[in-house]
Amino acid sequence: MKDMTVGSTFKHVLYFTIPLLIGNLAQQLYTLADTMIVGRTLGTGALGAIGAVGSVIFFIQGFVTGVSSGLSIVLAQRFGSKNEDRIHASYVTSIWLSFAVVSLFSLASILFADSLIRAMNIPMELYAESKAYFLATMFGLIIMMGFNLLSNVMRAMGSTTSLLFYTIVSHVLNFGLDIILIKLFSFGVVGVAIATVLSQLTVSILMFRYLSSRYPVLKLTKNDWRLRTEELRTHITISFPIGFQNSIISIGNIILQIKLNELTIGNIEGHAIATRLEGMITAPLLTIGLAAATFVAQNYGAGKFDRIWQGIRTSLIISLVYSSVVGGFMYFKGSEAAKWLVGASNGSTLVSIESYFKMTALFYGFLAVLFVLRFSLQGMGRTIAPTVSGILEMGIRSIVPVAFVGVVGYPAVVYSHPLAWGSTAAIMTAAIILIAKDQKKRWWERALVR
């Protein structure tokens, strides 16, 4: 376990981030290989089918992963306070709450699959593959939740080196299963989902055994079958708003995707490929944000507020430098990267990819600020500003495409992304400034979880 409440702030943030970034690099290498396998074996239509239903999947996965992220914030705060009984109680409550949430969402998603997918207005030539991918993903939702929960527990405890090992194992397994299921057994897009589920299941078992044997405070006992009402209340108060925030954002993505699906196949495929590549190259920004959240949560639990601001500043500097470099690269080379990675050769698809990066890549700085400040606020247990920003993000991603797709077409969909980043980053900045000013008067309040 890594205690980030003492020592150099810069070294803690950097050393904590490096294993996460290496793990992120492994994730990107896997995503790159996965994209190449799907694009070159199944064609860009398969990528379009996955992308067409991606927003509704994110709506569901976003809530459950948001809940698991919020649960780990409570655990990190407890670790900062050095209270082992409360650490154990948080771990047990997180497992029970995760199981309850994911069971409900899995059942509802499978029962109402047809209604959800039809509402997306997916073109008929993509519909069958989109539905198959959606169902396969929903059947494996409980595995994904367990994998994310255990990963977040390791991150909250500062065990990023061990997390790196298991992350790499997961991606290697996933890649191997992709080849077997897609190329050898021709499972199509369903094979993509099954490969992810099987790899996450295997690694989840390994992580659970590791946590139980390495950290006595996390070892489950027969008394853990009993839940404490006050623990449930505390964990729900912090985790559910983060889950709702993710779902609120994804509602905007769903509406955006519906309007996008009214355009050409080239626009749909181009947007799906471009956002997939963008997710790959901006993932380190998310990683730095997660590192900031853990650092802030531990120090919030310890009541060390000066270190919180030092950690936020350090994280912002690292993120802004990275976003400037990758933003410039994707602005000039985005379409060439897509052509090399997935073998995209359709003229309209390539034009859509190039247009996407010309309209978004120079605004990655907004995304950097958004991730660091949003996760930092969540690490403090502050959920109001992130939730408000999520509502605003949903509004922009909904209103702009609905109002302007009929007027300007594809650019209305694309420009909604940087508009959402910039607006929400402004809210996060304002919230942090208000808290910093308030610190001089009232910041020495007791931590939310002690």
Side-chain angles (χ1 to χ4, degrees):
M1 294 185 286
K2 189 174 184 62
D3 185 355
M4 291 186 282
T5 62
V6 294
S8 168
T9 299
F10 179 78
K11 287 183 179 179
H12 276 312
V13 172
L14 185 63
Y15 293 163
F16 186 83
T17 302
I18 287 174
L20 293 180
L21 286 175
I22 296 174
N24 181 265
L25 175 61
Q27 166 71 44
Q28 303 321 309
L29 290 174
Y30 160 71
T31 303
L32 170 63
D34 180 62
T35 301
M36 293 179 69
I37 292 172
V38 174
R40 294 181 178 275
T41 303
L42 304 178
T44 56
L47 291 174
I50 293 172
V53 78
S55 55
V56 71
I57 290 176
F58 180 73
F59 172 75
I60 298 164
Q61 288 184 339
F63 182 82
V64 297
T65 57
V67 168
S68 71
S69 177
L71 294 172
S72 70
I73 287 173
V74 181
L75 185 63
Q77 290 179 345
R78 298 277 175 86
F79 178 70
S81 69
K82 308 296 191 300
N83 189 322
E84 291 197 356
D85 288 339
R86 304 279 278 172
I87 291 172
H88 183 80
S90 178
Y91 181 58
V92 172
T93 304
S94 297
I95 293 174
W96 279 107
L97 200 54
S98 297
F99 180 77
V101 168
V102 77
S103 297
L104 177 63
F105 272 76
S106 295
L107 180 61
S109 301
I110 293 169
L111 291 177
F112 297 101
D114 277 320
S115 299
L116 289 170
I117 297 172
R118 287 197 184 99
M120 293 302 298
N121 195 28
I122 296 172
M124 288 306 299
E125 51 265 57
L126 301 178
Y127 187 89
E129 285 189 311
S130 292
K131 180 180 177 181
Y133 181 76
F134 176 81
L135 286 172
T137 302
M138 290 304 101
F139 274 109
L141 190 63
I142 190 169
I143 304 302
M144 183 217 68
M145 180 63 160
F147 178 83
N148 278 277
L149 175 65
L150 295 171
S151 297
N152 286 329
V153 168
M154 285 191 166
R155 189 178 297 116
M157 303 290 278
S159 301
T160 53
T161 303
S162 298
L163 178 59
L164 170 61
F165 170 75
Y166 289 112
T167 299
I168 293 174
V169 171
S170 173
H171 296 325
V172 171
L173 283 174
N174 207 333
F175 177 70
L177 289 169
D178 271 343
I179 294 176
I180 294 171
L181 297 177
I182 298 174
K183 296 182 73 69
L184 298 183
F185 289 97
S186 302
F187 273 38
V189 294
V190 173
V192 179
I194 294 176
T196 300
V197 170
L198 291 178
S199 63
Q200 289 183 343
L201 173 62
T202 303
V203 175
S204 293
I205 294 172
L206 296 175
M207 286 194 293
F208 180 78
R209 289 172 60 88
Y210 169 80
L211 288 170
S212 299
S213 61
R214 182 67 181 272
Y215 304 117
V217 70
L218 300 181
K219 189 172 183 178
L220 300 181
T221 68
K222 61 181 181 180
N223 294 326
D224 293 329
W225 291 100
R226 295 192 297 271
L227 292 176
R228 305 176 191 173
T229 304
E230 68 275 11
E231 288 291 340
L232 280 174
R233 186 182 301 112
T234 298
H235 286 74
I236 289 173
T237 298
I238 292 182
S239 64
F240 274 41
I242 298 176
F244 285 127
Q245 175 194 314
N246 286 354
S247 293
I248 287 170
I249 293 171
S250 65
I251 290 173
N253 289 331
I254 290 173
I255 296 173
L256 180 150
Q257 187 68 50
I258 290 172
K259 297 304 294 184
L260 175 63
N261 290 343
E262 296 176 1
L263 301 176
T264 68
I265 293 294
N267 289 149
I268 297 172
E269 292 181 357
H271 186 270
I273 294 170
T275 52
R276 193 178 180 97
L277 294 179
E278 183 176 78
M280 290 169 55
I281 58 100
T282 60
L285 299 178
L286 178 64
T287 300
I288 297 169
L290 291 171
T294 302
F295 182 90
V296 168
Q298 285 195 14
N299 283 280
Y300 190 80
K304 297 184 177 182
F305 304 112
D306 288 342
R307 290 178 61 81
I308 289 175
W309 304 118
Q310 294 171 11
I312 291 174
R313 285 194 296 269
T314 300
S315 300
L316 279 173
I317 291 171
I318 297 172
S319 292
L320 287 171
V321 170
Y322 177 82
S323 64
S324 298
V325 173
V326 298
F329 176 80
M330 295 307 291
Y331 181 85
F332 292 106
K333 300 293 183 180
S335 61
E336 293 182 25
K339 187 186 298 183
W340 178 76
L341 291 176
V342 301
S345 57
N346 182 285
S348 62
T349 299
L350 288 173
V351 169
S352 295
I353 294 171
E354 182 174 9
S355 298
Y356 182 92
F357 287 117
K358 293 293 184 184
M359 290 184 270
T360 63
L362 297 183
F363 298 101
Y364 288 164
F366 290 145
L367 197 58
V369 173
L370 172 61
F371 282 152
V372 170
L373 299 188
R374 176 180 283 169
F375 282 114
S376 295
L377 286 169
Q378 291 173 352
M380 301 177 204
R382 307 269 180 152
T383 57
I384 294 178
T387 301
V388 170
S389 73
I391 294 172
L392 177 61
E393 190 169 348
M394 176 196 70
I396 292 173
R397 292 183 190 276
S398 304
I399 294 172
V400 173
V402 169
F404 297 105
V405 160
V407 180
V408 299
Y410 184 61
V413 172
V414 179
Y415 273 123
S416 68
H417 296 301
L419 284 172
W421 302 337
S423 300
T424 51
I427 288 181
M428 295 296 96
T429 302
I432 286 289
I433 291 174
L434 289 174
I435 291 174
K437 289 182 177 180
D438 189 50
Q439 179 186 5
K440 295 179 180 180
K441 299 179 181 179
R442 300 190 303 114
W443 235 97
W444 298 104
E445 64 186 33
R446 190 176 65 179
L448 285 178
V449 183
R450 298 290 277 184

